[in-house]
Amino acid sequence: MKDYTLLVLAAGMGSRFGGLKQITPVDEMDNFIIDYSIHDAVLAGFNHVVFVIKKENEADFRKTIGARTEVKVRTSYAFQDLADVPPGFTVPAERVKPWGTGHAVLAARNLITGPFATINGDDFYGREVYVEMHNQLTTLASGACVMPGYRLEATLSETGGVSRGICAEGEGGQLISVEEHHNIKKMFGQNLASAENSAGTVVTLPLDAPVSMNMWGFAPDIFADLEHAFTMHLQTLKNPEKDEFYLPGFVGDMITNSRLTAKIWHTPAKWSGITHRTDLEELTAKLAAYRAEGIYRFYSCST
């Protein structure tokens, strides 16, 4: 059977889980967001889950989230390690911060042999997105990637500003670029949002602008390009203490250099996460409504 892997970026979880949003219960059965993600992915056809975590968190992670997942699907663990750099490089003495999401994906290079999708461990993407992602992966060619484009309005918080990757789209649904914007807030009484672009300039954005939520679909040959790009990143560090190797930035550079084609499909799904404290109440209510409709029929994290 061909592997379709869900790669969960979870290295941001601390060694003590108390109070962290990734393991904040989102229903009365004490399920986490990640339990819903795994449930949806398995139903969609994914048959392998790889968690990217920190080695020092392995025991705690396996006892909680790992134990819940292993009863549902084949599960593997990759470790994002600051010292995992190409031969000839050394980690700057002042460096403590992880190398970023691109490096986190690279940590799983020896565990994935087929097409795979990446997700954040603390985001709720919607079941239909996993179904479409799996469908896209069944025909994904080498040198290509895919991503769902959420409507900006469907990813905003009612409480405060958020950061999102705003996508520029070309003919035929081809992704041209992804630019990170910060402090995005809906403008009262208008079909627009205010934001700060990557240069720090305040701009307005249409509410139907497609955004990336760090869910990507790749063929396994992407790892060779990731390794090369990470090497180049280390060779050109401007701030050795803080510079990160981001996955959207890698994809954008690959598109610019004509080494990767990227397709975006528009999804009506409403993304949810916990950026602000009140977001938890909204997500809990949404999941309760889904359960009342019978969309989710599992009752505990291990069933």
Side-chain angles (χ1 to χ4, degrees):
M1 178 185 295
K2 187 173 184 178
D3 274 353
Y4 290 93
T5 299
L6 184 70
L7 181 61
V8 184
L9 307 183
M13 295 184 177
S15 57
R16 296 192 177 188
F17 288 118
L20 292 182
K21 61 183 180 180
Q22 294 94 335
I23 52 74
T24 299
V26 293
D27 61 26
E28 65 273 23
M29 282 75 66
D30 289 335
N31 293 309
F32 308 147
I33 291 178
I34 204 166
D35 294 313
Y36 284 86
S37 298
I38 300 302
H39 181 80
D40 287 343
V42 171
L43 284 181
F46 288 88
N47 55 8
H48 183 209
V49 171
V50 176
F51 290 112
V52 179
I53 60 176
K54 294 179 181 178
K55 181 64 178 177
E56 60 265 32
N57 297 340
E58 181 182 9
D60 286 339
F61 193 97
R62 282 180 179 266
K63 284 189 295 186
T64 51
I65 294 171
R68 301 173 177 206
T69 305
E70 290 168 7
V71 299
K72 301 175 183 178
V73 64
R74 183 162 63 90
T75 305
S76 305
Y77 301 88
F79 305 107
Q80 186 175 17
D81 185 348
L82 192 62
D84 181 14
V85 295
F89 288 91
T90 57
V91 178
E94 66 273 27
R95 182 82 190 197
V96 176
K97 191 177 182 67
W99 290 116
T101 51
H103 183 252
V105 174
L106 192 57
R109 58 191 177 275
N110 296 323
L111 296 172
I112 296 176
T113 59
F116 67 100
T118 68
I119 65 167
N120 293 330
D122 54 359
D123 289 345
F124 179 87
Y125 291 93
R127 179 175 299 172
E128 61 268 46
V129 178
Y130 289 95
V131 172
E132 180 59 25
M133 176 61 81
H134 183 269
N135 290 340
Q136 294 281 342
L137 290 179
T138 61
T139 58
L140 187 65
S142 297
C145 75
V146 293
M147 60 151 281
Y150 288 79
R151 293 181 76 256
L152 173 60
E153 186 175 22
T155 71
L156 297 180
S157 171
E158 295 294 332
T159 304
V162 297
S163 296
R164 299 288 181 257
I166 307 298
C167 301
E169 184 182 358
E171 186 176 349
Q174 292 299 307
L175 180 66
I176 297 174
S177 65
V178 181
E179 182 183 359
E180 191 76 5
H181 287 65
H182 304 282
N183 199 29
I184 306 175
K185 300 177 182 178
K186 187 174 180 178
M187 299 174 68
F188 181 75
Q190 301 186 50
N191 290 320
L192 295 169
S194 64
E196 297 175 11
N197 64 17
S198 56
T201 303
V202 176
V203 297
T204 58
L205 300 168
L207 293 180
D208 62 352
V211 303
S212 164
M213 298 307 301
N214 219 32
M215 180 188 240
W216 299 91
F218 296 107
D221 61 341
I222 199 68
F223 287 114
D225 289 309
L226 266 172
E227 288 189 275
H228 175 75
F230 183 51
T231 299
M232 297 300 295
H233 171 79
L234 293 177
Q235 289 176 344
T236 56
L237 285 177
K238 295 180 180 178
N239 186 336
E241 185 178 353
K242 294 184 178 180
D243 284 357
E244 294 190 50
F245 179 52
Y246 291 114
L247 187 58
F250 160 75
V251 171
D253 289 344
M254 290 283 287
I255 293 171
T256 299
N257 295 323
S258 300
R259 292 183 57 84
L260 184 72
T261 60
K263 178 183 176 182
I264 179 173
W265 85 84
H266 295 266
T267 177
K270 189 177 187 302
W271 170 95
S272 294
I274 309 174
T275 304
H276 304 283
R277 183 173 296 275
T278 55
D279 295 337
L280 176 60
E281 299 173 7
E282 181 182 344
L283 175 58
T284 300
K286 174 196 286 190
L287 293 175
Y290 285 160
R291 298 177 74 89
E293 294 172 19
I295 295 174
Y296 291 104
R297 297 182 181 275
F298 68 97
Y299 293 97
S300 70
C301 50
S302 60
T303 60

